[in-house]
Amino acid sequence: MIKTAIITGATAGIGAATAELFASKGWNIIVTGRRKERLDALCQRLKDTYSVDITPLCFDVRSFDACKKALQNLGGVKIDLLVNNAGLAAGKDPIQDGSIEHWERMIDTNIKGLLYVTKLLAPQMIENKKGHIINVGSLAGKEVYANGNVYCATKHAVDALSRAMRIDLNPHTIKVTNIAPGLVETEFSIVRFDGDVDKADATYQGFEPLLAQDIADCIWFAASRPAHVTIGDMLILPTAQANSTTVKK
């Protein structure tokens, strides 16, 4: 039986790489994102390459109404896997200089967006008595670093929610996995620094960072384990990185 995965935040980076990998493995894919042109381009490329069903859902996870409208009209499609990938960092300032807009954007996307999507899809998994939820967290959910304050707090929340969800959903045979990447070269830093490419590029200079495909591979590994195996938590670092502040350059 062909399985179906829904991947949030799939217009670039880890989400797009994960969608492609799962499509290559024969899964039907539902991808979500805010940028319609990118979402449509990804779907068209996957449809042209793989013989699976690819469905785009363009909405912003920060809005519960938008999530509800998109996810309650799946036409009876049963979701085997939810990858809560949508997330971002905005700004890198000491707490006293932080931007309220940045804070709200991170909290609304990284925490509330994950909660909204999970709340809407978990009942179907409970009804089916099976399913898997993979939350893409971060090394920043394991430790904190200077000027990372609110971003680290949101990813600590993802880590805690993953553990709590595993307890709540255990009676229903639903797996929950937390994936915690270190430095991955995607659009992450471009978004964090409000489009400042020079600052973003400097983040990854002098060492070999992880790539989106590396994290997609880890997500696939967790999702492809047999029914009796759950990968609860996975921390993935580039070899040059020991922790949030120690990077060999």
Side-chain angles (χ1 to χ4, degrees):
M1 181 179 294
I2 296 176
K3 293 185 176 183
T4 299
I6 181 165
I7 302 163
T8 67
T11 53
I14 293 170
T18 301
E20 176 137 19
L21 179 56
F22 276 75
S24 76
K25 301 292 187 179
W27 285 52
N28 292 332
I29 307 296
I30 299 170
V31 287
T32 87
R34 294 178 296 111
R35 295 173 288 188
K36 187 176 187 305
E37 288 186 4
R38 285 198 179 194
L39 201 62
D40 289 344
L42 171 67
C43 288
Q44 190 59 56
R45 180 166 57 81
L46 295 182
K47 287 177 181 178
D48 291 344
T49 308
Y50 307 105
S51 299
V52 295
D53 292 334
I54 309 293
T55 304
L57 294 177
C58 186
F59 66 95
D60 190 337
V61 298
R62 293 179 293 177
S63 165
F64 181 70
D65 288 342
C67 292
K68 187 175 180 180
K69 182 178 179 180
L71 298 176
Q72 288 192 338
N73 293 296
L74 294 177
V77 175
K78 292 184 178 181
I79 304 300
D80 298 284
L81 171 68
L82 164 61
V83 181
N84 278 314
N85 169 72
L88 53 85
K92 194 175 182 184
D93 302 297
I95 196 74
Q96 68 274 17
D97 297 328
S99 159
I100 296 297
E101 188 277 329
H102 283 163
W103 293 356
E104 292 181 344
R105 190 174 167 202
M106 288 185 283
I107 292 167
D108 289 348
T109 305
N110 300 355
I111 303 176
K112 293 164 72 174
L114 181 151
L115 288 170
Y116 294 160
V117 175
T118 300
K119 179 174 176 60
L120 290 164
L121 294 180
Q124 185 200 96
M125 293 183 178
I126 291 171
E127 183 179 349
N128 295 335
K129 296 183 173 59
K130 63 178 181 178
H132 193 171
I133 298 171
I134 297 181
N135 297 324
V136 178
S138 172
L139 172 61
K142 308 290 187 183
E143 33 182 272
V144 297
Y145 54 86
N147 302 327
N149 41 75
V150 175
Y151 175 68
C152 291
T154 65
K155 289 303 185 178
H156 273 69
V158 172
D159 189 275
L161 284 168
S162 296
R163 286 180 276 128
M165 288 163 58
R166 194 176 305 117
I167 296 168
D168 292 345
L169 297 173
N170 175 268
H172 307 288
T173 325
I174 296 170
K175 300 182 182 186
V176 179
T177 300
N178 183 67
I179 299 287
L183 286 161
V184 187
E185 187 170 12
T186 62
E187 293 183 351
F188 175 87
S189 288
I190 295 175
V191 173
R192 175 170 229 167
F193 294 118
D194 295 323
D196 189 325
V197 176
D198 291 336
K199 277 189 178 181
D201 287 347
T203 304
Y204 308 107
Q205 287 179 356
F207 72 102
E208 185 174 359
L210 297 168
L211 301 176
Q213 182 62 50
D214 297 321
I215 308 307
D217 288 342
C218 294
I219 293 171
W220 169 253
F221 178 80
S224 61
R225 295 310 86 202
H228 72 288
V229 177
T230 295
I231 305 299
D233 196 10
M234 192 185 298
L235 174 65
I236 311 101
L237 303 173
T239 300
Q241 184 177 24
N243 60 24
S244 291
T245 57
T246 304
V247 182
K248 183 180 182 296
K249 296 186 178 183

